[in-house]
Amino acid sequence: MSTEPANSIIIPTKISIQHNKHKVTPDEKTNPRLQRRWDWQDILYLLLLVGLVVVMAYRFTPNFTGEVAGEWWDPLLNMWTLSWDTTTLLHAPTHLWQAQLLYPNNLSLSYSENLLGEAIIYTPFFLLSHNPVFAYNMTFYISFLLCGTNMYIMARHYTGRPLAAFVAALIFAFAPYRLAQLDHIHIIAGEWMPLAFLYLDLSLEQGRWRNWILFALFFFLQLLSSIYYGIFLSYSLLAFVLIRYTLPFISHLRSGKGHYVIYLLRRTLKPVIVFAIMFNFLGILMAPYLVSLQGGLSRSLGQSTGYAAFVRDFLFAEPFNWLYGTSYYNGFVLPYDSEHYLFLGLTTMALAVCGIILAWRKRSTVLRAYTWTALIVLLFAFGPFLQYSTPNGGPFVATASSFLGRIALPAIPPNIVMPWALAYFVLPGFSGLRVPARLIGVLLIMLALLAAFAVAWLQNRASDYAEKRLNTEPGTVATRHFTRLPPLRTVALRILLVLIPLAILMEAVPAYIPVTQVPTGNAIPAVYHWLATHGGQEPIVELPMAYLNEEFSFKQEAWYDYYAIYHTHPIADGWSGYRPTLTNNMAAQLLNFPSASSLAFLKQYHIVYVVLHLQYYNPAIAATMLAQAKSNAGLRRVAVFGSDSVWQVI
């Protein structure tokens, strides 16, 4: 039984054998701090969220059909993934996982995020416009809006205060950490996590069919939107439930004994049915990832060490942050794309600390549960070992070798073993994750909720001062006292409440963002128009192919990903979350193209066409390669488009 005081800003959670549905109490009807019913203020705040997203889109990517936020590699991969999801599910759904990239590897869609959740938003815009850039931008910005809206719903339920919920929405949607993840739409798209937390809590508290079904829906949508967040969310929810309900369970078990066990058995029917259906869908979704994991997709501890949160990372905002961004640190150029910009905002952290203090002062079971869950999430975000900072003090910059896991990263003091190191060997899913620092996206939910409680408390204090002034009888000493002091306190608190959302936005707003210009339609290189109408679905390889320590980087292959939207050929290239051994072996062989061994390798895997991009080679090497290709009896040139040419392996 909850023991929260009557003046708490938390709506009491009553767990009893008889109480399985929420009943609105008289206090909830009369006290605005406990009022669940939405009104015009809620509509206003949600419209403000819409306005902020519209301004963000207009300010940073005004060319909505020809540019995307972020540096090119991951947005290009994501556009291909979303287009592949759309066209394949409509025309050949059984081939979804055997994707176009990284031929002839199996289940190549499972080498990165499948983005099926985002495809729900992307598909109608893509089918209507036939423009992947426009559809991607709509999906990208709608994800920000959904993050804010769903966080608003969660905080609104727990606090009963529209302004407090709006503050939580701003933190979760626009925190500096999230804006540093502009390249990663699957990390931006954490919109279903707040609702998964909320409806799991409601399901356990009330036991209604509706809540269990909604929890399963939101959890599954989040897993579809981001495998990373899906795995992180699973364990975070488990931690929250254990913290929130273990003590009440033990207490009721001791007092109710057999009656309580019977009561629990009756209430298990709904979750058992819902979870059975959900796990069937999860099995279908996760099976390709499990097969790929067994085939070598797993990450090393060395990789997760480099992509974990360092303590000093929380001091660094993205370089384009208006207030805190910097492009250089100790003589090193800071990249735009990094997993180590973990600054959360001073206002957010101050409010979260106030929320933690409230959790203990008010004896709030729900606040304490979210606080302890936040601590556990933070500990896991530090990865296998606690590391303070890189030697130069700046954010860690990953190399191609560390990305592929080919080198062991040096241990950085204090190098204390953290829970991730054990989870890597014990808990399902952890061995396939490279970036522990992405848990900060889950941590933001708890921080936003704690901040919302702090704002709700400030609102309650301001209301208390106003009520005391109104209820004081005229002409008394108390009247003279409240005439002097309370109005000042009330005004100060109200000014502070206005400044808090502004401060959160000021700390998050970018001065600019990196933008990638992406061609569409007739601006696509002519060679891809030719591929769209020739050769059917014969496999191809595009050269140069990225190989370790070569001038042509792995990230440049993302352009091959994007242009694959415009033809149907399987391609041996591809920028993805995981690069298979077979692909690396092929890249090594094709360094000597058109040697006899390289052509034999292509024939072995039935690759029919070679698309040669001479502009990416050193001029001398390009001239030699072209001359050798022309004189090779095993090749026939079938199309030329300036420096691009297509060769058939015969």
Side-chain angles (χ1 to χ4, degrees):
M1 181 76 68
S2 175
T3 59
E4 294 177 22
N7 63 347
S8 171
I9 60 172
I10 313 298
I11 299 173
T13 300
K14 300 193 179 204
I15 306 173
S16 67
I17 297 176
Q18 294 79 19
H19 179 76
N20 62 355
K21 291 186 178 180
H22 175 73
K23 296 181 180 179
V24 179
T25 65
D27 286 340
E28 282 188 83
K29 293 179 180 178
T30 58
N31 191 338
R33 71 190 62 179
L34 299 179
Q35 185 59 258
R36 297 276 183 90
R37 188 181 297 276
W38 284 33
D39 58 21
W40 65 268
Q41 295 181 63
D42 299 288
I43 304 301
L44 175 62
Y45 285 125
L46 291 179
L47 288 176
L48 282 175
L49 285 176
V50 173
L52 287 171
V53 173
V54 170
V55 169
M56 179 182 176
Y58 179 78
R59 170 68 177 83
F60 297 116
T61 52
N63 181 11
F64 223 57
T65 60
E67 63 184 6
V68 295
E71 295 195 275
W72 74 87
W73 44 89
D74 284 320
L76 294 178
L77 166 63
N78 293 332
M79 275 187 280
W80 169 83
T81 302
L82 291 165
S83 301
W84 172 262
D85 291 343
T86 299
T87 56
T88 308
L89 288 175
L90 289 176
H91 302 292
T94 57
H95 294 161
L96 176 68
W97 296 99
Q98 194 57 46
Q100 187 180 14
L101 304 183
L102 298 169
Y103 171 88
N105 295 282
N106 292 321
L107 305 175
S108 52
L109 186 64
S110 66
Y111 296 165
S112 193
E113 293 282 350
N114 58 68
L115 303 184
L116 291 169
E118 289 87 337
I120 297 171
I121 305 172
Y122 179 91
T123 295
F125 295 108
F126 183 65
L127 294 177
L128 288 172
S129 67
H130 302 288
N131 185 315
V133 177
F134 171 75
Y136 175 85
N137 278 327
M138 291 300 297
T139 306
F140 178 80
Y141 287 110
I142 288 174
S143 294
F144 275 97
L145 179 59
L146 287 174
C147 283
T149 301
N150 293 343
M151 189 68 230
Y152 184 96
I153 294 171
M154 181 188 188
R156 180 70 168 81
H157 170 83
Y158 282 119
T159 66
R161 288 286 194 175
L163 177 59
F166 181 63
V167 167
L170 292 180
I171 291 172
F172 188 63
F174 304 111
Y177 166 75
R178 284 176 51 76
L179 293 174
Q181 295 286 337
L182 287 173
D183 299 336
H184 309 128
I185 195 171
H186 59 290
I187 304 303
I188 295 296
E191 58 261 34
W192 306 114
M193 290 192 292
L195 296 184
F197 271 100
L198 173 60
Y199 279 96
L200 180 58
D201 196 20
L202 288 175
S203 298
L204 292 170
E205 180 185 329
Q206 301 173 6
R208 295 178 179 175
W209 275 111
R210 173 179 176 271
N211 292 335
W212 282 115
I213 293 171
L214 286 175
F215 161 70
L217 173 64
F218 295 134
F219 177 81
F220 192 66
L221 283 173
Q222 188 56 67
L223 188 66
L224 287 175
S225 301
S226 173
I227 296 296
Y228 255 97
Y229 277 158
I231 295 173
F232 288 156
L233 178 62
S234 301
Y235 291 110
S236 300
L237 288 170
L238 177 60
F240 172 74
V241 169
L242 291 176
I243 295 167
R244 176 95 158 92
Y245 288 100
T246 297
L247 289 179
F249 169 77
I250 294 173
S251 174
H252 287 298
L253 188 61
R254 287 177 176 175
S255 60
K257 297 182 181 178
H259 296 289
Y260 187 62
V261 172
I262 294 172
Y263 164 74
L264 288 179
L265 289 175
R266 289 175 179 172
R267 289 190 61 171
T268 56
L269 177 63
K270 297 173 185 177
V272 165
I273 293 174
V274 170
F275 275 78
I277 297 171
M278 184 177 73
F279 282 129
N280 280 327
F281 284 107
L282 292 179
I284 295 171
L285 176 65
M286 297 303 295
Y289 287 95
L290 295 175
V291 172
S292 296
L293 197 62
Q294 294 173 355
L297 184 64
S298 62
R299 312 295 187 176
S300 67
L301 276 179
Q303 281 182 296
S304 55
T305 299
Y307 287 93
F310 295 8
V311 174
R312 275 183 62 88
D313 290 345
F314 291 93
L315 301 179
F316 289 94
E318 67 276 9
F320 45 86
N321 182 279
W322 178 49
L323 286 179
Y324 306 108
T326 178
S327 299
Y328 298 90
Y329 190 83
N330 283 347
F332 288 83
V333 178
L334 299 182
Y336 290 132
D337 180 51
S338 176
E339 301 288 353
H340 292 270
Y341 300 131
L342 305 184
F343 181 70
L344 299 170
L346 298 180
T347 306
T348 297
M349 294 308 300
L351 289 172
V353 169
C354 292
I356 293 172
I357 295 172
L358 282 173
W360 264 257
R361 286 189 59 189
K362 301 292 184 181
R363 300 179 183 274
S364 166
T365 54
V366 65
L367 262 187
R368 290 185 178 186
Y370 278 111
T371 301
W372 285 115
T373 305
L375 177 61
I376 293 171
V377 169
L378 178 62
L379 292 177
F380 273 88
F382 287 120
F385 308 99
L386 182 64
Q387 303 167 97
Y388 176 70
S389 173
T390 58
N392 73 342
F396 175 80
V397 179
T399 63
S401 296
S402 61
F403 173 78
L404 294 174
R406 294 193 172 190
I407 61 171
L409 297 170
I412 299 175
N415 200 31
I416 300 171
V417 178
M418 298 298 285
W420 185 284
L422 176 62
Y424 178 86
F425 296 103
V426 175
L427 298 180
F430 273 81
S431 61
L433 302 175
R434 187 176 66 241
V435 191
R438 288 177 177 172
L439 272 163
I440 301 304
V442 182
L443 178 67
L444 271 174
I445 298 173
M446 292 78 179
L447 297 181
L449 192 58
L450 289 166
F453 277 111
V455 172
W457 181 81
L458 290 173
Q459 287 186 276
N460 292 340
R461 297 294 289 176
S463 298
D464 288 343
Y465 289 146
E467 289 174 7
K468 287 179 181 178
R469 177 173 172 79
L470 289 173
N471 295 332
T472 303
E473 295 182 4
T476 64
V477 176
T479 301
R480 292 193 295 272
H481 174 71
F482 281 109
T483 301
R484 292 195 304 272
L485 294 179
L488 296 177
R489 293 178 182 177
T490 303
V491 170
L493 282 175
R494 288 176 178 172
I495 292 175
L496 178 61
L497 290 169
V498 171
L499 291 178
I500 284 173
L502 295 177
I504 291 170
L505 287 174
M506 286 183 64
E507 290 194 293
V509 67
Y512 64 94
I513 62 172
V515 171
T516 297
Q517 304 296 322
V518 184
T520 59
N522 293 329
I524 297 296
V527 65
Y528 297 105
H529 289 292
W530 186 91
L531 288 171
T533 56
H534 293 77
Q537 295 185 353
E538 298 287 356
I540 69 172
V541 64
E542 301 197 52
L543 297 182
M545 196 174 185
Y547 190 66
L548 200 61
N549 297 326
E550 290 298 311
E551 293 182 1
F552 188 79
S553 71
F554 295 101
K555 293 175 180 178
Q556 287 175 281
E557 286 198 6
W559 286 106
Y560 298 160
D561 295 2
Y562 173 72
Y563 291 132
I565 296 173
Y566 295 90
H567 65 80
T568 58
H569 295 273
I571 67 172
D573 316 68
W575 166 256
S576 186
Y578 174 74
R579 193 170 178 89
T581 301
L582 176 57
T583 303
N584 286 324
N585 293 340
M586 185 181 298
Q589 285 283 350
L590 293 177
L591 289 175
N592 299 317
F593 179 85
S595 66
S597 61
S598 66
L599 294 182
F601 194 92
L602 294 178
K603 290 180 180 179
Q604 178 183 351
Y605 291 101
H606 310 289
I607 295 177
V608 176
Y609 293 106
V610 177
V611 181
L612 194 58
H613 304 284
L614 293 176
Q615 67 270 27
Y616 295 131
Y617 288 95
N618 177 282
I621 295 175
T624 302
M625 184 179 295
L626 181 60
Q628 291 175 348
K630 287 180 178 179
S631 62
N632 194 306
L635 290 171
R636 181 177 65 195
R637 186 164 62 179
V638 294
V640 180
F641 306 94
S643 57
D644 295 328
S645 55
V646 183
W647 301 77
Q648 185 176 4
V649 180
I650 56 178

